[in-house]
Structure formats: structure tokens, C-alpha cells
Amino acid sequence: MSPKIKGAGKTASKSKPKNSGRNSSRNSRLNSKKRPFNVTKALLAVFVLVMLVWLAALMMIKEEPQAKKANLAQNNNTQKIHELLESKKKKSSVLDEQNSSQKISQKISQVISKDNKIANIYEEISDEKLKEFSKKLQEQKEEFIAKTAIEQNSTQSEQNASKEQSTFEKITEQALKYSYSANSHSKRKSHKAPNGGPKLAIIMDDISTNAHVSELKKLSIKVTPSIFPPEKEHPKSAELAKEFSVYMVHLPLQALNYTNEKANTLHTGDSKEKISQRIKDIKKDFKAVKYINNHTGSGFTSDFKSTLALLAELKNSEIYFIDSLTTNKSTVLDASKKLGLKYAYRDVFLDNEQNVSKILKMINKAVAVAKKDGVAIAICHPYKSTFEALKIAQKDAFKGVEVVYVDKIYEYYK
């Protein structure tokens, strides 16, 4: 083979060399050898690609149910979390309500406590004023007695009587300024501790017939009868007093709302003379009378001036008044303190409901009050159910207390 000469290529392009046919066949052979390699590679690449696509599809098919399961699980967990949160919220709200209720209860208790303290302060102030007034009243009374004792002739006595009336009216006006409110009865429990343990007095109002007396005497416990004054319906009621060693008179006083009024009932605004005459008539009928309580009387005892006039007359007659407390606006406490009298009062009505079992419950209540306070007064009436209840109660309901007549309990009141 001849060596290549520089620039031979350029020349060859213009004129074909002699060996150009050989070179052409050589190049075609080389190209034919390269073709099988490129096709195989291409086919291999396609195969790989198909396999990758198939695997990807297979993976997607497998992952889809797992993804669904994962989503479902996640949804379930989310729902459970929501449910737990809601449950906690409900529990929290319940606790908050309980806490708020407790706080409200505490606040209410605090308010009640403050109100009670204020009420106690008011009552203490009222008591101080009452003591001061009672002292002044006693001084005025003693001064007047001393002056009247010096006077000798009748003319001077008449003048003194006029002065006495004037003094009484002035005292009444002064007393009205210091009159208690209805709530003053919360302070009325002022009595000494009784000797020999707690005592209970039971008063039976409305006694007016022999049948009542007969039933009372069948009881083994001491019950104090309170007898109606004579009138058209029971003209001989005063004679019933002879059957008892201790009795009371049940004095009719004006009620606020009561139409079946007894004869000779005292009314608010009645003159001092009329009240005095009524008490004289009662003393004439009941010569040994020492105690009186009111029949009805919610209107009369609510009027301070009328109550004061009645108690003043009873004081002059040496008769003791026991407040039946037919109204929470009773002024008997006020009037008693103004006149320097003891104040005794009813604690329990036994037979507002004429039912044996309910009356027995009220008897138990009266016994409990006596044990707590030392003394107690209960009032009842001559109903059939009341007698039945008392007969049952006298067996064992009064254990721990002494049932006494009213004269044995009055001494412990102040």
C-alpha cells in the first residue's frame, strides 16, 4: 500500500482514485456490523421500559387498597379523637356547672349570713332602745305614784286621774315610736331554764260544753282548758271552770278576716272604758281567772294601741295574757315589754289539720321545741281527732319532757 500524501483527499474529491470501490465496500461492511448492536439496545430499552411501567402499575394496584385502609383508619382515628374531645367538653361543662352552682350556693349563703347579722344587729339595737324606754317608763310611773300619794282631797284626786290619763296617752305615743316590726318575734324566745328539765304546756281552746270537759278528764296528761266567756250559744260556760283546778279564759278579739264573730268581741279602737268593763265582766263570771289568751284576734293584736290598752287593764286586774299568735304581726310582745310584763306565747298549733297522724307529728314538734328551748306552749281544740291523737301520744310521745298546766310554765318567761 502506498503512503498517504498530504492533500490527496482534496484531489480525490475532484477525481475518483483507483481504489475508491474497495473503500466503499469496506464501509458498507462496517455499517452492516454496527446495525445489529443498535437494534438490540433499542429492544432492550423498550423491554426495560415496559417492565418498569408494568411494575409501576402493579405497585399502584397494591398500594390503592392500602391507601384506602390507611385513609379509613385515619378517618376512624379522627372520629375517635373528636368523640373524646366532645366527651371531655361535656364533662368539663358539667364540672363547670357544678362549680358554678357551688359558687352560687356559697354566695347565697354569704348573703344570708350577712342578712342574719344585720337582723341581729337591728334586734340588738331595738332591745337597747326597749330597755332604755322601759327604764324611763318605770321612772315616770314611780314618780307619778309618789305624787298622787301626797294628795288627800277628792278634787285633787280627780285632777290626778286626769293627769294619769294624759300620762298614759303620752306613754302610748312614745311607745309607738319604738314599736317592733313583725320580725321581732324571732327574738321572743327569752325565758329562764326551767327547773327539773324541759316543760310543755298544752292549752285546749274553745271549751264550752260538758262533753268537752268529759273528754278532757279522760286524758292522763295535764291539758289546760281555755273556756269561752258566756254568750247566747253557751250561756253556762263559766260554770265549767269549777271542774278544773287550773283554767284560762278564751277572750274573743277582732280578726282581720273572720265573719263568724263571737258576741262581745273587742275591736281595735274600743275605748279604755269598754275594755275595762269587758275585763270586769269576765272576772265576775270567772272569779279565779288568772290567765287569758286570745280567740282569733289577728286584727286586734296587730294594733299596738289597742293591745297596750288591753294589757294595761289585765295588769290592773292581775290577769296574765298568753299570746295565741294568730298573726305574725302581733304587737303583744311590744306592749308587754312596754308595761314591764312577761311575754308568753304559743309555739305550735297542734291541729290546724284535723288528721290524727298529722296531729301526732305536731305533738312531736312541740316536744322537740320544749327540749330545745326548755319550755314550750302548744294550742289545740276539742276536735275528735285531737282527743284521739292525745290519747295515743300520752303513752310515750312525751318522754323527756314534763307536761304541765300553764301556771307551772308561765313563771319561766321574761
Side-chain angles (χ1 to χ4, degrees), residues 5 39 68 131 140 154-155 174-175 177 181 206 231 233 261 275 279 281 296 313 325 333 346 351 360 367 370 396-397:
I5 301 169
V39 171
K68 286 182 180 178
K131 289 174 185 176
Q140 289 178 4
S154 59
T155 304
Q174 284 181 303
K177 294 178 183 179
S181 68
D206 300 355
E231 60 162 295
E233 292 180 4
E261 192 175 77
I275 292 172
I279 301 306
D281 291 341
T296 63
E313 185 59 36
L325 269 179
L333 169 63
R346 180 269 314 163
D351 51 8
L360 287 169
V367 169
D396 57 6

Side-chain angles (χ1 to χ4, degrees), residues 149-172:
I150 298 171
E151 307 297 343
Q152 299 295 326
N153 58 56
S154 59
T155 304
Q156 288 175 329
S157 297
E158 289 175 3
Q159 290 174 351
N160 288 337
S162 177
K163 286 181 182 179
E164 184 182 11
Q165 179 65 24
S166 177
T167 302
F168 179 81
E169 290 173 356
K170 287 179 181 178
I171 290 171
T172 301

Side-chain angles (χ1 to χ4, degrees), residues 30 41 55 57 62 114 147 175 314 339 354 379 385 406:
L30 289 171
K41 192 174 181 180
L55 286 170
K62 288 182 178 180
K114 286 179 182 178
K147 286 180 180 179
L314 290 173
L339 295 171
Q354 295 175 41
I379 288 179
S385 54
V406 74

Side-chain angles (χ1 to χ4, degrees), residues 101-321:
S101 298
Q102 289 175 355
K103 288 178 181 177
I104 290 168
S105 298
Q106 289 173 356
K107 287 181 180 179
I108 290 170
S109 298
Q110 290 172 0
V111 170
I112 290 170
S113 177
K114 286 179 182 178
D115 287 345
N116 288 337
K117 287 179 182 177
I118 292 168
N120 290 335
I121 291 168
Y122 172 77
E123 287 172 352
E124 286 173 7
I125 292 169
S126 298
D127 277 352
E128 289 301 318
K129 287 183 177 180
L130 177 60
K131 289 174 185 176
E132 182 183 348
F133 177 78
S134 297
K135 186 178 178 181
K136 288 180 180 178
L137 179 61
Q138 188 65 26
E139 289 173 355
Q140 289 178 4
K141 180 182 175 183
E142 290 173 358
E143 182 182 354
F144 179 77
I145 290 171
K147 286 180 180 179
T148 52
I150 298 171
E151 307 297 343
Q152 299 295 326
N153 58 56
S154 59
T155 304
Q156 288 175 329
S157 297
E158 289 175 3
Q159 290 174 351
N160 288 337
S162 177
K163 286 181 182 179
E164 184 182 11
Q165 179 65 24
S166 177
T167 302
F168 179 81
E169 290 173 356
K170 287 179 181 178
I171 290 171
T172 301
E173 290 175 0
Q174 284 181 303
L176 281 168
K177 294 178 183 179
Y178 296 101
S179 178
Y180 280 175
S181 68
N183 291 330
S184 65
H185 284 290
S186 63
K187 196 75 174 178
R188 69 179 184 268
K189 293 186 179 301
S190 54
H191 41 63
K192 298 182 291 184
N195 298 325
K199 300 183 189 301
L200 171 64
I202 300 175
I203 299 170
M204 185 171 282
D205 288 346
D206 300 355
I207 299 300
S208 59
T209 68
N210 288 318
H212 294 159
V213 173
S214 177
E215 288 298 321
L216 268 174
K217 290 196 169 185
K218 290 177 183 178
L219 298 173
S220 62
I221 55 174
K222 296 175 180 177
V223 176
T224 306
S226 189
I227 306 169
F228 271 132
E231 60 162 295
K232 186 178 179 180
E233 292 180 4
H234 34 76
K236 296 183 179 181
S237 60
E239 295 179 10
L240 301 177
K242 297 175 184 177
E243 301 291 332
F244 303 99
S245 59
V246 179
Y247 66 89
M248 300 174 64
V249 170
H250 199 39
L251 180 64
L253 300 178
Q254 179 186 344
L256 288 171
N257 298 296
Y258 187 67
T259 55
N260 190 23
E261 192 175 77
K262 292 287 183 181
N264 300 317
T265 295
L266 289 175
H267 296 84
T268 57
D270 281 347
S271 66
K272 185 181 176 183
E273 291 74 21
K274 183 175 181 179
I275 292 172
S276 177
Q277 186 58 53
R278 183 71 176 122
I279 301 306
K280 286 177 182 177
D281 291 341
I282 286 173
K283 284 198 73 174
K284 183 179 177 182
D285 292 326
F286 300 90
K287 292 180 173 55
V289 62
K290 285 294 180 183
Y291 299 93
I292 279 179
N293 73 330
N294 53 295
H295 170 68
T296 63
S298 56
F300 191 97
T301 58
S302 297
D303 184 82
F304 178 79
K305 190 173 180 180
S306 298
T307 302
L308 187 65
L310 173 62
L311 294 189
E313 185 59 36
L314 290 173
K315 183 179 180 181
N316 291 336
S317 302
E318 297 183 342
I319 298 174
Y320 307 113
F321 188 82

